[in-house]
């Protein structure tokens, strides 16, 4: 479903991604971990072309991201994205936040879009907040709205860019619970996170990155109990033992 | 003491000038706003050609005197076979000149909206234009209201440039009343009062909008 082949990316002279090879199959949950500045978020953002790759090949849902024939707006409708800072639209209600793209990008009627939005608001557990503005919600609630907003496009893939990093510790659980439910439902998910518990419990694979390279790509049990790379071992000892 | 007979004897003339100043200001306000939004969106667009064209427009228009732009339309266009009245040339010049300043104010407002908003819009499949229209501009407009208000007040005052090319505005009729009556001071005091009738309510309205938008957050 997502395939990186020898992908490199530069920001000017700085190489952020080096020789990335990664295959993600339909229904897989892949968690990307690694130290700050290792290129995790950039890797994720290449998948819906918020960042463009410098060379190599990246195929998402059978469409080449560098091909001129690929309509990026059409491809993006198949990929939901959740950001670290939620990025809800502050001038719109929760319901309007969720229905904007379905109405304007997919061309669905307002009535149908509202119905879909309520379905997903129920799924993330806050149907009573439909008419609230983002500023009236807690961080955890805002992030759940953002997830509902991504789901409302009925995407094939969901991308999560550190979805719990900006949350109060007490709010993290409610967001992770929603993500776990999604994973159980068979959604293809790529998650950049520091939540090792989530990775261990939910991921099919854990990808460890450092300095723009993928150093390890293993099943979570193997990764956490016996990481192959020294750098991964050091990272885990710092993240887990404190 | 002001000679109020100047006002009463020439009231029709004053009112005609006032009407034309109002008309030129309203037309220029609408045109310059639309043009300003387009130029601002061009200047921050990811397409290099549009960006360059928008920047060229702003730098050219903003850095030459308004009166030169007016002369281009009033004296320059007839040599290309296009005859414009003083009123038309003045209103067009005013619109174009003000658009450059409005574009800059709006661009600053757009750039002050968090860049995650654009990313959220684009990543959900909305086009650049849709994201601008539904997400970025509604947020930018609140930030932009105060500087925009100042530009519109400047616009009303700058409309006095019409007088230079017989644009039948307040300034033009002020000049003609003055040369007919040989009175200078009193005539222009009344001209000033008519300008204030336009600019003070405008200024109060901008203040009101600012307060209202501040409340709605």
């Amino acid at each position: 479903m997502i395939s990186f082949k020898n992908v490199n990316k530069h920001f000017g002279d700085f190489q952020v991604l080096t020789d990335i090879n990664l295959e993600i199959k339909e229904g897989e949950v892949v968690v990307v971990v690694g130290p700050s500045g290792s290129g995790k978020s950039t890797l994720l953002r290449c998948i819906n072309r918020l960042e463009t790759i410098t060379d190599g090949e990246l195929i998402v849902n059978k469409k080449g991201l560098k091909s001129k024939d690929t309509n990026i707006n059409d491809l993006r409708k198949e990929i939901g994205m959740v950001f670290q800072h939620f990025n809800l639209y502050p001038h719109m209600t929760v319901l309007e936040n969720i229905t904007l793209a379905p109405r304007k990008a997919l061309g669905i009627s307002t009535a149908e879009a509202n119905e879909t939005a309520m379905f997903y608001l129920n799924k993330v557990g806050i149907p009573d907040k439909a008419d609230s503005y983002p500023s009236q919600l807690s961080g955890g609630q805002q992030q759940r709205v953002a997830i509902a907003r991504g789901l409302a496009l009925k995407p094939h893939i969901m991308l999560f860019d550190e979805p719990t990093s900006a949350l109060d510790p007490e709010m993290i659980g409610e967001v992770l619970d929603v993500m776990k439910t999604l994973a159980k439902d068979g959604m293809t998910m790529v998650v950049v996170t520091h939540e090792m518990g989530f990775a261990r419990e939910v991921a099919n694979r854990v990808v460890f990155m450092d300095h723009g390279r993928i150093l390890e790509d293993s099943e979570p049990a193997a990764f956490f109990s016996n990481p192959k790379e020294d750098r991964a071992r050091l990272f885990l000892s710092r993240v887990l033992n404190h | 003491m002001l000679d109020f007979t100047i006002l009463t004897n020439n009231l029709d003339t004053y009112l005609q000038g006032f009407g034309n100043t109002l008309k030129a200001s309203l037309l220029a306000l609408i045109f310059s706003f639309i043009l300003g939004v387009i130029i601002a969106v061009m200047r921050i667009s990811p397409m290099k050609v549009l960006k360059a064209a928008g920047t060229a427009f702003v730098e050219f228009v903003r850095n030459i005197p308004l009166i030169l732009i007016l002369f281009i339309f009033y004296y320059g266009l007839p040599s290309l076979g296009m005859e414009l009245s003083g009123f038309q040339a003045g209103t067009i010049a005013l619109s174009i000149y003000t658009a450059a300043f409005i574009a800059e104010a709006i661009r600053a407002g757009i750039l002050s909206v968090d860049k995650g908003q654009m990313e959220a819009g684009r990543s959900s499949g909305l086009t650049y234009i849709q994201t601008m229209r539904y997400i970025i501009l509604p947020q930018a407009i609140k930030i932009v209201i105060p500087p925009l208000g100042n530009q519109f007040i400047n616009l009303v005052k700058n409309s006095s440039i019409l007088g230079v090319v017989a644009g039948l505005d307040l300034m033009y009729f002020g000049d003609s009343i003055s040369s007919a009556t040989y009175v200078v001071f009193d005539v222009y005091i009344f001209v000033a009062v008519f300008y204030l009738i336009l600019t003070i309510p405008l200024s109060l309205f901008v203040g009101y909008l600012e307060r209202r938008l501040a409340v709605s957050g």
Side-chain angles (χ1 to χ4, degrees), chain B residues 7-8 28 36 61 63 65 70 78 116 124 135-136 138 144 160 163 168 178 184 186 196 199:
Chain B
L7 179 64
T8 48
V61 171
N63 291 311
L70 175 65
S124 63
I135 300 168
I136 310 294
V144 163
S160 58
L168 308 181
S178 174
V184 177
D186 300 44
L196 288 174
T199 50

Side-chain angles (χ1 to χ4, degrees), chain A residues 45 48 50 73 76-77 79 81 83 87-92 100-101 104-105 149 153, chain B residues 114-117 119-128 130 134-136 138-139 142:
Chain A
R45 290 159 58 87
N48 64 354
L50 283 183
N73 292 325
R76 283 170 174 162
K77 292 170 200 166
I79 308 171
M81 181 147 188
F83 299 86
N87 296 355
L88 295 179
Y89 314 132
H91 59 302
M92 295 183 191
L100 180 71
K104 302 301 176 187
R149 180 173 71 175
L153 290 161
Chain B
D114 183 73
K115 103 182 188 321
Q117 295 286 308
E119 289 185 348
R122 292 308 307 274
S123 72
S124 63
L126 296 171
T127 64
Y128 178 77
Q130 286 176 323
Y134 298 110
I135 300 168
I136 310 294
Q139 295 180 61
K142 291 183 187 181

